[in-house]
Amino acid sequence: MNKAFFKYILALLLFGSNGIVASRIDLNSYEIVLLRTLIGSLLLIAIFFLSRGKLTFWEHKKDFAFLAVSGIAMGTSWMFLYEAYAQIGVSIASLCYYCGPVIVMILSPLLFKEKLTSTKIIGFLAVLIGIVLVNGCGAVSVNRFGLLCGLASAVMYAFMVIFNKKAAAITGLENSALQLLIAFAAVAVFVGFKQGFIIDIPTESVLPILVLGLLNTGIGCYLYFSSIGKIPVQTVAICGYLEPLSAVLFSVVFLSETLLPMQVVGTVLIIGGAICGECIQVPIEKTNEGKHKS
């Protein structure tokens, strides 16, 4: 239990540092995502086969189709997110991105016949107010294209989670490895049409690319999926919000990004509102092992 909890917290901190590592890479957003998904998926596939995992996706064609859509959404979401990192900074981009789970929460009554309780509604309203405070207070200095990219990443995150949830028959590390591989394929198609596959990687960017692909993506996903089944579901849900919180704190400490007082209030509302909505649904729902982080 303690070992699994430590692995889970470490995975969340790795995910929260994605923007910090990406800021050290002198490439455009879709090139970063292309290399990240390639390196990460290769590592996860290697871990899957070294652990003697058994492929079952071909037995569940409908679920695999849902997983394919989810993988495409993940690749698209990350491209928007990394563009938002470059345009508006890691802290605000991360908060925009983490509105994705709240979108899923609001749509769940329509898509999954889940009950929308008053607490969930209150949580959603808190997040909505938080978004206004975080983005509205920075409207003078933050460009609207960056904000749009951040919110678009949240919408695509919602698509990723929704379709992954429908692929219930494909779980665990197989789910993660396949989805990351599909995300790579989707990003590769986009990059191929846009500029071709010749990428000039500066020497100083090689190490952060390897860290982002191998450590933050590959090892991070492995730690996440190997731990969530061994700790209480409510702990998984509540502690999961350490990821966006750590992303904001890391950006302040390592990138010297600043948040206005009202943006700090907005940060508390976004994370607090999301936790409020999550805690109500945790006891009655089964953890979806295919749910992915950033």
Side-chain angles (χ1 to χ4, degrees):
M1 170 72 177
N2 291 334
K3 182 179 179 181
F5 181 75
F6 174 77
K7 290 166 65 177
Y8 179 61
I9 296 300
L10 180 58
L12 295 177
L13 293 176
L14 286 174
F15 295 145
S17 68
N18 283 339
I20 308 301
V21 179
S23 69
R24 310 297 180 186
I25 301 175
D26 188 19
L27 295 172
N28 60 49
S29 56
Y30 42 86
E31 289 173 338
I32 294 175
V33 176
L34 177 71
L35 294 172
R36 175 192 181 182
T37 51
L38 172 61
I39 297 171
S41 60
L42 290 177
L43 180 60
L44 283 184
I45 290 171
I47 293 174
F48 179 78
F49 284 110
L50 287 174
S51 60
R52 298 183 179 181
K54 181 181 179 182
L55 290 174
T56 62
F57 72 92
W58 56 273
E59 299 175 354
H60 311 283
K61 294 181 175 60
K62 183 178 180 180
D63 292 77
F64 180 67
F66 286 135
L67 188 64
V69 175
S70 181
I72 293 171
M74 181 168 72
T76 306
S77 176
W78 284 357
M79 284 192 287
F80 279 126
L81 176 62
Y82 280 73
E83 185 62 31
Y85 283 157
Q87 296 288 336
I88 60 177
V90 174
S91 57
I92 296 180
S94 298
L95 291 172
C96 289
Y97 175 73
Y98 226 79
C99 294
V102 182
I103 296 174
V104 176
M105 179 182 71
I106 294 300
L107 293 178
S108 60
L110 296 175
L111 299 174
F112 305 110
K113 308 301 180 183
E114 296 173 0
K115 185 178 179 181
L116 187 60
T117 64
S118 58
T119 310
K120 289 184 180 181
I121 295 174
I122 293 172
F124 171 73
L125 292 176
V127 171
L128 191 61
I129 295 171
I131 294 171
V132 173
L133 291 176
V134 168
N135 296 331
C137 291
V140 176
S141 58
V142 175
N143 69 70
R144 294 185 178 180
F145 175 68
L147 291 176
L148 183 62
C149 286
L151 294 175
S153 71
V155 172
M156 296 311 298
Y157 176 100
F159 274 99
M160 175 191 74
V161 173
I162 289 168
F163 280 94
N164 188 283
K165 190 170 183 178
K166 289 181 176 292
I170 306 174
T171 60
L173 195 56
E174 180 186 11
N175 180 296
S176 181
L178 287 173
Q179 180 157 331
L180 198 55
L181 184 61
I182 293 168
F184 162 71
V187 176
V189 170
F190 175 81
V191 173
F193 276 108
K194 185 173 180 62
Q195 67 174 50
F197 296 108
I198 298 177
I199 301 176
D200 185 16
I201 303 176
T203 304
E204 61 272 16
S205 295
V206 173
L207 180 58
I209 287 172
L210 291 175
V211 170
L212 185 64
L214 293 174
L215 182 61
N216 287 48
T217 305
I219 299 299
C221 286
Y222 172 72
L223 291 173
Y224 178 80
F225 285 101
S226 64
S227 62
I228 59 173
K230 300 176 182 178
I231 55 181
V233 178
Q234 191 166 9
T235 301
V236 171
I238 296 175
C239 292
Y241 291 92
L242 177 62
E243 179 189 341
L245 180 61
S246 64
V248 173
L249 294 177
F250 288 155
S251 68
V252 171
V253 174
F254 296 106
L255 301 180
S256 299
E257 294 184 3
T258 58
L259 292 175
L260 299 173
M262 291 306 292
Q263 289 179 312
V264 174
V265 175
T267 300
V268 173
L269 286 172
I270 289 174
I271 297 176
I275 292 175
C276 179
E278 188 79 24
C279 288
I280 296 302
Q281 64 182 356
V282 166
I284 60 174
E285 286 186 2
K286 201 175 178 182
T287 301
N288 179 16
E289 294 185 353
K291 184 180 177 183
H292 286 263
K293 296 293 180 180
S294 65

